[in-house]
Amino acid sequence: MNKKLIMNSLKINYDFGIRIDLGGKVGSGHFFRCLGIAKELKKLGFNVIFLVNSQTEIKSHLDSKIPYHVLKSKSEIGKIEECKEICKKISNLIIDLPSKNELYSKKIGESNQTIIIDDLGNKEIFSKFLFNGSIVDEYQNYKIIKKNTKYFHGPKYMILRNEFGITRKKIKRPKHKIKKILLTFGGTDEKNILKKIILFFIEKNFQINLVLGPSYRYQKDIQKIVKKNKSIKIYSNVKNIAELFANQDLVISSSGVTSYELACLGIPCIFIPTVKHETKTAQYLEKNEFGLNYGFWDNDFNNFNKIFSKISDHKIRTKMYYKGRKLIDGKGLSRLIKIITK
């Protein structure tokens, strides 16, 4: 990679760079929480830039004028070398890469001030700051190499966009009957679980709302179903997802970052994990009496009907409302900002 070309692409110095990937198996929740961080830093007068893997993906996700730089190298080691060169013009690098945090922490953290945002644990950390808001105990295990690394963990450090803290103040206890149901399975929903779940509700008397992520590949399939059913509505590129969640009686979703967003608001939900690590999150949240965990989708509609019948109980949903809001207070973002800007 031409170092002169890299440096020419960054015309000014930046206070914070944010290294994030989008698309494929990477959930959109990681990007949107980093977008929340970027917006808060900008409000405080800091210069911020995203370092990303795909121009197509960043354009479909980004709703603000925050600048970005697309890494050119195809290999991860090449991307790291680019980042190291770029970091000559960046004071602090925030890294939120689920499967690559350890690699970036090791290669860049030894020479730069880096901030790792992680959810899964079980890795070596070389960075100055480490944040992990997961509720899962097994995901809090790290081998921290540097003595001066500061580690902030537990649900109080779950980073959610400010809109969730604002919206939760307006939400009242669940209604007695479920009328509005929202389905969302991340930005990609590679297994197209959305379509399969729609079939369960299609002839029932509910308003079904669908959130289709920027990387969702089955738009045409869903559009065909929607044309035949007036009770189904599609939402894409939602600017304030917290407000949309707040208007639902029930949400059926994967159990990544979205599950914590729902807990913050107290919205009753059924979790259908889409990747292995989400199963633990769903189990722990259910153990803490927020949400019901279906497990991986297996087309067993009889079992799904049992779970749906259970969550139709108003007392169960009311308990979820209180338990979720107690677990996630929505202040994780402000706590992080305060720490990294000291």
Side-chain angles (χ1 to χ4, degrees):
M1 176 56 59
N2 188 313
K3 292 184 180 181
K4 186 176 180 181
L5 182 63
I6 293 174
M7 299 318 293
N8 284 342
S9 68
L10 276 77
K11 302 293 185 183
I12 64 172
N13 291 327
Y14 288 89
D15 301 299
F16 290 90
I18 301 178
R19 176 69 184 96
I20 183 77
D21 280 344
L22 303 99
K25 294 182 179 179
V26 181
S28 292
H30 293 274
F31 170 75
F32 286 119
R33 71 181 175 190
C34 284
L35 181 60
I37 293 170
K39 287 180 176 180
E40 291 306 302
L41 289 171
K42 277 200 74 175
K43 284 180 187 177
L44 294 173
F46 294 102
N47 289 323
V48 185
I49 187 169
F50 282 107
L51 308 179
V52 299
N53 62 328
S54 168
Q55 182 160 321
T56 302
E57 292 291 348
I58 188 70
K59 280 187 173 182
S60 68
H61 283 73
L62 199 58
D63 66 348
S64 64
K65 295 181 179 179
I66 297 170
Y68 63 86
H69 173 86
V70 180
L71 301 170
K72 307 297 188 298
S73 179
K74 293 182 179 179
S75 72
E76 208 57 53
I77 294 299
K79 287 184 175 72
I80 288 172
E81 291 305 313
E82 284 184 65
C83 283
K84 288 173 76 172
E85 192 64 31
I86 289 168
C87 279
K88 292 177 181 178
K89 302 199 78 172
I90 295 174
S91 300
N92 306 275
L93 183 64
I94 298 170
I95 305 164
D96 188 347
L97 300 167
S99 62
K100 304 164 192 169
N101 276 340
E102 179 174 357
L103 184 62
Y104 274 77
S105 177
K106 185 174 183 179
K107 296 292 184 181
I108 298 178
E110 291 181 317
S111 55
N112 295 87
Q113 181 156 305
T114 54
I115 300 154
I116 295 289
I117 299 174
D118 193 62
D119 302 285
L120 303 177
N122 301 297
K123 52 181 67 80
E124 290 185 343
I125 296 294
F126 297 77
S127 302
K128 181 174 181 180
F129 295 111
L130 169 62
F131 292 87
N132 184 335
S134 176
I135 191 177
V136 182
D137 292 337
E138 294 97 306
Y139 294 164
Q140 299 288 353
N141 298 321
Y142 294 97
K143 184 177 181 181
I144 296 177
I145 306 302
K146 287 186 171 183
K147 291 183 179 179
N148 65 339
T149 295
K150 295 180 180 179
Y151 177 28
F152 303 91
H153 58 93
K156 69 182 289 186
Y157 293 104
M158 178 48 63
I159 301 157
L160 306 178
R161 286 163 283 176
N162 258 351
E163 64 195 61
F164 288 93
I166 295 168
T167 302
R168 73 181 252 130
K169 297 174 183 177
K170 310 172 188 176
I171 298 177
K172 298 178 181 179
R173 291 184 299 173
K175 297 174 184 175
H176 281 272
K177 288 187 177 181
I178 295 173
K179 293 182 179 180
K180 294 181 181 179
I181 301 173
L182 182 142
L183 310 183
T184 177
F185 294 96
T188 56
D189 186 17
E190 290 194 332
K191 297 177 182 177
N192 205 10
I193 298 172
L194 197 74
K195 181 182 177 182
K196 297 167 186 175
I197 300 295
I198 291 172
L199 299 176
F200 176 83
F201 292 107
I202 210 160
E203 294 181 359
K204 296 178 174 64
N205 190 28
F206 297 106
Q207 171 63 48
I208 304 300
N209 299 313
L210 313 176
V211 175
L212 305 186
S215 305
Y216 186 68
R217 296 185 289 120
Y218 306 99
Q219 294 265 4
K220 290 181 180 179
D221 291 349
I222 299 300
Q223 290 288 356
K224 288 178 183 178
I225 296 172
V226 172
K227 283 182 180 179
K228 298 176 183 178
N229 297 273
K230 293 182 179 179
S231 62
I232 303 175
K233 187 174 181 179
I234 292 176
Y235 292 86
S236 298
N237 300 316
V238 182
K239 289 190 176 180
N240 192 325
I241 194 71
E243 289 283 356
L244 183 59
F245 286 163
N247 288 319
Q248 312 305 312
D249 301 313
L250 174 68
V251 174
I252 301 170
S253 78
S254 51
S255 47
V257 176
T258 301
S259 60
Y260 293 102
E261 293 172 344
L262 294 168
C264 175
L265 300 176
I267 306 298
C269 50
I270 297 172
F271 298 127
I272 301 179
T274 56
V275 291
K276 187 177 179 180
H277 71 261
E278 288 183 356
T279 59
K280 286 285 186 183
T281 302
Q283 289 167 2
Y284 267 70
L285 286 169
E286 184 179 54
K287 187 178 178 181
N288 281 270
E289 299 181 279
F290 178 76
L292 296 180
N293 176 30
Y294 178 87
F296 286 123
W297 182 251
D298 55 4
N299 293 316
D300 186 345
F301 286 100
N302 287 329
N303 186 35
F304 185 78
N305 188 52
K306 290 178 184 177
I307 291 177
F308 182 72
S309 296
K310 184 176 181 180
I311 207 165
S312 297
D313 186 324
H314 182 248
K315 289 181 181 179
I316 289 175
R317 285 183 285 115
T318 300
K319 180 179 277 190
M320 284 185 189
Y321 169 84
Y322 287 111
K323 293 290 184 177
R325 291 166 66 90
K326 184 177 180 181
L327 188 65
I328 307 295
D329 65 8
K331 298 177 182 178
L333 174 59
S334 60
R335 292 184 181 109
L336 175 141
I337 294 295
K338 186 176 181 179
I339 290 165
I340 68 174
T341 58
K342 273 186 179 180

